[in-house]
Amino acid sequence: METIRIKIKSALGELSCEEEQGLRQAGELIKKGGLVAFPTETVYGLGGDALNPDSSRKIYAAKGRPSDNPLIIHISRFADIHRIVDQLPEAAVKIADAFWPGPLTMILPKADIVPRETTGGLRTVAVRFPSHPVARKLIAYSGGYIAAPSANLSGKPSPTSAKYVCEDMDGRIDMIIDGGEVGIGLESTIIDLTVEPPRILRPGYVTQEMLDRVLGKVDIDVTIIDPDSGQAPKAPGMKYRHYAPKGSLTIVEGAAEQTAAYINEMAAADRAAGRKSGVIGTTEVLEQYRTDVVKCIGSRGDEEEIARNLFTVLRQMDDEGVESIYSESFSEKGLGQAIMNRLLKAAGHRVVHLPGRPNAQGWNRNRMEP
Ligand code: TXA
Ligand code: MG
């Protein structure tokens, strides 16, 4: 299939007639059962008609995604939620007031109109009202309900620009809307409102602290804080290997200088073995690294910058054919919880803790979790 590509230059401002026309055409494609990738404020989505079971089947096929992993339904007006949910608890209205439109997804009991194909067979439905103006227009033009996972091939990092959508989806979908780089860079926070107290199933830009402030107390899925809990994550998608670059990624936790020294030592061993090495580092430490490739994820003090760059630097490691990737570790407070959640998944939870200075036996790697 030939994939049409359109560009929206003024993604956050007034649209030109041509751009408006392009979005209308995209809406028509979705209404007819086609698939269109589009920008949102979090990551690019791969959209189809959420109320059409065939569209959902096509989405799973295009992504190579297991069909038990449900899709998020995107709306462009709060009032549209009533048609797709069976009940709207007061907590949902409260957090919609506080965070919608924006990077938050709510799990609610589903209405009969929502096909099981869209919810991966579940009786609940994930709903999100994005703030990105292009996303909102497209949703409105396509009938009001777009099912959209992130627009990457299953298992790969979510796309933060149209370039990476093209890499994964060219020839597999009807259209790609290029709206430039996304603002947040990590997928929406998911909160389950079918349990009491509400529970975060995927951390994101809307943090636990922000939700606590509006709802009193919210829980967090134990599998997010303890990957060894032995329990299955409540968001089916969180159980799959995810965000993974092609190279093997190791997170190194320790003081800045120690971390750089350890990574340089590993990179020397990689070089001797003929493996290309790369590091994901912060501005403050960057010049200490001696790996073949050095990518800056942002300044340690700026979590939003780190979030925005994470998936991009993972993709860049693939672009440059890096085989051994090392990353600094980050605090798990606030937005850091979402950053570390994605980074740990990308690394398959491979973390090296550097508790102190190296001793005679070399680096302490006892706590390495392969
Ligand atoms: O920011 C985002 O949320 C992006 C943009 C495109 O909106 N979308 C996105 O979708 O990240 P996706 O499909 O990549 O991730 C959706 C996650 C999956 O982990 C899925 O298992 C979970 O949401 N999910 C969807 N419906 C669910 C439900 N009814 N119950 C529990 N988890 C659900
Ligand atoms: Mg995804």
Side-chain angles (χ1 to χ4, degrees):
M1 147 186 334
E2 184 163 353
T3 303
I4 307 166
R5 192 165 166 180
I6 66 168
K7 209 172 170 84
I8 309 274
K9 281 216 189 77
S10 40
L12 299 172
E14 191 94 344
L15 298 186
S16 69
C17 289
E18 205 183 322
E19 290 173 336
E20 191 78 47
Q21 191 46 40
L23 286 187
R24 247 185 257 272
Q25 184 196 355
E28 289 306 316
L29 282 170
I30 289 180
K31 276 188 183 161
K32 281 193 234 141
L35 302 187
V36 175
F38 62 99
T40 82
E41 69 277 21
T42 57
V43 297
Y44 273 75
L46 170 57
D49 180 354
L51 305 184
N52 178 348
D54 282 337
S55 298
S56 294
R57 279 190 213 107
K58 282 192 202 165
I59 291 175
Y60 291 114
K63 272 184 70 90
R65 174 172 178 151
S67 59
D68 68 343
N69 186 1
L71 308 174
I72 296 174
I73 303 189
H74 296 65
I75 55 175
S76 61
R77 293 181 309 194
F78 180 73
D80 291 340
I81 198 172
H82 298 291
R83 218 171 137 215
I84 52 171
V85 305
D86 189 35
Q87 284 161 36
L88 197 61
E90 210 186 307
V93 178
K94 273 194 190 160
I95 53 175
D97 268 347
F99 305 113
W100 273 3
L104 178 76
T105 296
M106 299 187 209
I107 307 293
L108 293 162
K110 88 173 189 71
D112 290 342
I113 192 175
V114 179
R116 291 206 157 221
E117 283 76 0
T118 302
T119 66
L122 297 178
R123 287 162 189 275
T124 52
V125 60
V127 190
R128 170 156 127 76
F129 177 3
S131 62
H132 197 292
V134 172
R136 288 170 67 173
K137 273 230 155 113
L138 176 67
I139 297 163
Y141 283 144
S142 55
Y145 301 95
I146 292 188
S150 48
N152 51 286
L153 286 174
S154 192
K156 296 239 272 169
S158 300
T160 47
S161 71
K163 169 180 184 256
Y164 293 122
V165 178
C166 274
E167 248 178 53
D168 284 13
M169 291 298 156
D170 194 32
R172 303 172 81 93
I173 61 176
D174 298 279
M175 187 190 264
I176 295 171
I177 302 173
D178 179 349
E181 289 192 7
V182 299
I184 293 177
L186 297 179
E187 309 86 345
S188 61
T189 306
I190 301 180
I191 183 160
D192 185 354
L193 294 168
T194 67
V195 292
E196 188 54 51
R199 187 183 302 155
I200 295 171
L201 306 187
R202 179 174 72 183
Y205 187 81
V206 176
T207 62
Q208 185 170 11
E209 293 80 358
M210 288 158 80
L211 288 160
D212 273 342
R213 249 176 267 140
V214 179
L215 290 181
K217 170 95 189 84
V218 302
D219 277 350
I220 182 144
D221 190 339
V222 62
T223 61
I224 290 164
I225 17 190
D226 177 13
D228 300 325
S229 65
Q231 295 189 32
K234 278 245 348 203
M238 298 295 276
K239 72 174 179 263
Y240 294 106
R241 184 166 152 79
H242 239 107
Y243 316 119
K246 290 189 199 113
S248 80
L249 169 63
T250 306
I251 302 170
V252 185
E253 202 177 86
E257 283 197 359
Q258 242 187 312
T259 301
Y262 174 82
I263 290 175
N264 290 340
E265 191 181 306
M266 290 296 122
D270 285 324
R271 200 163 301 130
R275 277 192 307 268
K276 191 169 181 179
S277 64
V279 70
I280 298 174
T282 47
T283 322
E284 293 78 5
V285 195
L286 224 52
E287 62 182 30
Q288 295 188 31
Y289 292 115
R290 301 287 172 267
T291 47
D292 298 327
V293 173
V294 176
K295 293 286 171 203
C296 182
I297 194 169
S299 168
R300 196 149 267 282
D302 188 346
E303 284 185 324
E304 298 205 359
E305 187 183 18
I306 293 171
R308 192 163 54 241
N309 289 331
L310 175 60
F311 289 146
T312 310
V313 293
L314 288 174
R315 291 259 183 179
Q316 286 171 342
M317 290 293 174
D318 282 355
D319 293 347
E320 302 202 19
V322 177
E323 293 159 279
S324 296
I325 310 167
Y326 304 92
S327 174
E328 291 175 26
S329 181
F330 303 96
S331 145
E332 296 196 38
K333 294 215 184 76
L335 184 53
Q337 187 165 53
I339 294 168
M340 282 307 287
N341 170 261
R342 306 308 194 277
L343 191 60
L344 281 163
K345 275 179 167 288
H349 291 274
R350 187 176 11 228
V351 184
V352 174
H353 302 267
L354 304 174
R357 302 220 161 260
N359 54 31
Q361 284 80 47
W363 299 97
N364 183 337
R365 282 202 277 158
N366 291 346
R367 291 184 59 207
M368 170 133 182
E369 301 146 12

